Amino acid sequence: MGDRLRLAIGVMGNVASLLLYSAPIFTFARVIKRKSTEEYSCVPYIIALLNCLLYTWYGLPIVSYRWENFPVATINGLGILLEFSFVLVYLWFASTREKIKVVVILIPVILAFGIISATSAFMIHNHHQRKAFVGSVGVVASAAMYGSPLVAVKQVMQTKSVEFMPFHLSFFSFLASSLWLVYGLLGHDLFIASPNFVGSPLGILQLVLYCMYRKRGIAEVPNKLDVVQNDHKSTQLEIMVTEDTKEKT
């Protein structure tokens, strides 16, 4: 009964995580449409990529015992594809300065994962120690992934606008972290449960802030073309008024 319940929670966690990993599709559709990364940061997607790499490795039989964490491996494997795609799109539309920043962060992340996976595979010779090693690093990466929206939280509090903290992203983050928290506790796996002790409260915080500031509208930056057109119309109106005044005099 316990194993079936844990598997069911794992499947629901997979669905929630898929929604969470897919949520930025709306953001990057906007980036592609406007051909600009605007005020968005790529750091959360790089951290999420590292998290997916580590937990895919953690869920595979090399680290875990057989397929005890099969749901963890499958969803994070899909997460790798999605997060890597987001990073590529960001690089395509980012300014040169932002591209350099992304590469400077991304290369060490890939190298770090390579070192961790090689160390756990070739230098550690039992599943318990492998899980402890990979899981410990994964806890840090996962906590960072759930904590990265704090940048958006700060921006919301400063601008009193929820433009850069979409509701669906906050909701799916809360839902996924809550389900994986239960999954980890049912399997007595603290390396899965621990980071979600951080993720669930942060998800609640984001939802509370969204409810507080959503009625204040979305802060919009005036389009430069609109400003120029308005100025041009104002100038034309002034000329017409001046000519009309001269005719009357």
Side-chain angles (χ1 to χ4, degrees):
M1 179 64 182
D3 290 339
R4 289 182 179 179
L5 177 61
R6 185 170 184 259
L7 179 60
I9 297 295
V11 171
M12 288 189 287
N14 270 8
V15 174
S17 294
L18 178 60
L19 294 172
L20 174 62
Y21 292 146
S22 303
I25 288 175
F26 299 105
T27 297
F28 283 93
R30 171 174 170 167
V31 168
I32 293 170
K33 182 178 179 180
R34 300 191 177 188
K35 295 181 172 26
S36 170
T37 56
E38 299 179 313
E39 298 296 322
Y40 294 109
S41 171
C42 194
V43 173
Y45 307 107
I46 296 175
I47 295 175
L49 175 62
L50 175 60
N51 177 75
C52 291
L53 286 168
L54 288 169
Y55 275 98
T56 299
W57 184 247
Y58 182 87
L60 292 174
I62 299 172
V63 176
S64 294
Y65 180 70
R66 295 183 178 177
W67 287 105
E68 62 176 337
N69 285 313
F70 177 73
V72 176
T74 52
I75 188 57
N76 284 286
L78 182 58
I80 292 171
L81 297 176
L82 289 170
E83 299 300 336
F84 193 69
S85 299
F86 297 147
V87 172
L88 288 179
V89 172
Y90 189 96
L91 280 170
W92 183 265
F93 291 102
S95 63
T96 303
R97 183 180 178 182
E98 289 299 319
K99 287 179 182 177
I100 294 172
K101 286 183 181 179
V102 171
V103 171
V104 166
I105 299 172
L106 185 60
I107 291 176
V109 163
I110 300 299
L111 290 175
F113 172 71
I115 293 170
I116 291 166
S117 57
T119 301
S120 59
F122 300 112
M123 298 182 67
I124 302 175
H125 303 293
N126 65 73
H127 289 289
H128 180 73
Q129 290 181 345
R130 286 174 180 171
K131 286 181 69 175
F133 175 63
V134 178
S136 297
V137 182
V139 165
V140 176
S142 191
M145 183 186 75
Y146 286 125
S148 59
L150 287 174
V151 176
V153 168
K154 180 182 178 182
Q155 192 172 16
V156 168
M157 296 179 72
Q158 287 177 339
T159 63
K160 294 181 172 51
S161 166
V162 295
E163 182 177 8
F164 297 103
M165 193 181 73
F167 171 79
H168 57 271
L169 191 59
S170 302
F171 176 72
F172 294 149
S173 177
F174 164 71
L175 185 61
S177 59
S178 298
L179 287 169
W180 287 117
L181 172 61
V182 176
Y183 177 88
L185 291 175
L186 288 174
H188 306 288
D189 193 330
L190 292 179
F191 296 117
I192 295 177
S194 297
N196 295 292
F197 278 114
V198 177
S200 289
L202 284 176
I204 293 172
L205 173 62
Q206 292 175 64
L207 291 173
V208 169
L209 285 175
Y210 187 91
C211 292
M212 288 174 59
Y213 293 113
R214 68 185 178 86
K215 293 182 179 180
R216 305 200 179 189
I218 295 176
E220 296 183 355
V221 179
N223 190 304
K224 291 182 180 179
L225 181 60
D226 292 339
V227 173
V228 172
Q229 288 177 341
N230 288 335
D231 287 344
H232 181 64
K233 289 178 180 178
S234 298
T235 303
Q236 287 182 327
L237 182 61
E238 289 177 2
I239 293 172
M240 291 174 64
V241 171
T242 304
E243 291 178 349
D244 186 58
T245 304
K246 287 181 179 179
E247 289 177 359
K248 290 181 179 180
T249 56

